[in-house]
Amino acid sequence: MTETIYSVVEFCGKGDPFFGGTAADWALYKTEDGAFAFMGAAEAQRCKLAMAYFPTAAEAENAGTAASTRKGLISALPVKPRLEVPTAQISWIVGNKHVGEEDSELAEDFADRAKRAGAADPDLIAQIVAYALACHRANQALVAHFRL
C-alpha cells in the first residue's frame, strides 16, 4: 500500500500580481534551525531549504497554522513521492519496527539510512523521512483498529 505525504501552502492576497493584485502563495519550508516558515520558492532555493513534508494532512495543517504570519488560507496538499524514494523498502522496514517507537527515533534512523545510501539532496531526505512516518502512522492505525 502506498502512503500519502503532504506539503503545506498558504494562500494570501487577491489577484495576480502581474495585473496589480497582491496574491502571494507560499509553501512551507523547514529552516536551518528546524523551525517552519512560509516563503517563496526563489527565496527557499537561495537559502537551500527543503520543503516541509508531513505524514498526515492534520499534522501538515497544524504546522502551517502555527507557522503562518500572514494568516492566509492554509491547505495541506498531497505529494506524490519522488521516484528515488524507495517506498517498498521503507514500508517493509517500518513494518518490522515496533509501533510504539518514537517519531524522532524513526525519523533519525531513516535520515541516517538515506545519507548512508548516498542521498545528498535535503528534499529527497525529507520525503523519505515523511514517507517512513506515514507508514508508521498507518501501522499505528491498524494496531488501534484491531486493538492489538
Side-chain angles (χ1 to χ4, degrees), residues 11-25:
F11 302 98
C12 192
K14 294 186 180 190
D16 190 330
F18 186 77
F19 298 104
T22 61
D25 303 336

Side-chain angles (χ1 to χ4, degrees), residues 30-111:
K30 192 166 191 175
T31 61
E32 296 90 6
D33 62 356
F36 296 113
F38 283 103
M39 63 183 69
E43 183 181 350
Q45 187 177 19
R46 193 172 35 258
C47 297
K48 297 181 178 157
L49 300 178
M51 192 175 286
Y53 297 101
F54 300 90
T56 66
E59 290 178 57
E61 288 178 4
N62 290 341
T65 302
S68 176
T69 57
R70 303 182 304 162
K71 303 304 177 203
L73 175 66
I74 305 296
S75 292
L77 305 173
V79 174
K80 182 178 179 180
R82 293 167 46 170
L83 292 175
E84 302 94 338
V85 176
T87 56
Q89 291 88 343
I90 292 171
S91 179
W92 185 82
I93 292 167
V94 172
N96 288 313
K97 291 188 173 281
H98 192 276
V99 294
E101 185 169 349
E102 293 291 324
D103 288 349
S104 58
E105 292 175 16
L106 189 78
E108 186 178 318
D109 178 34
F110 276 89

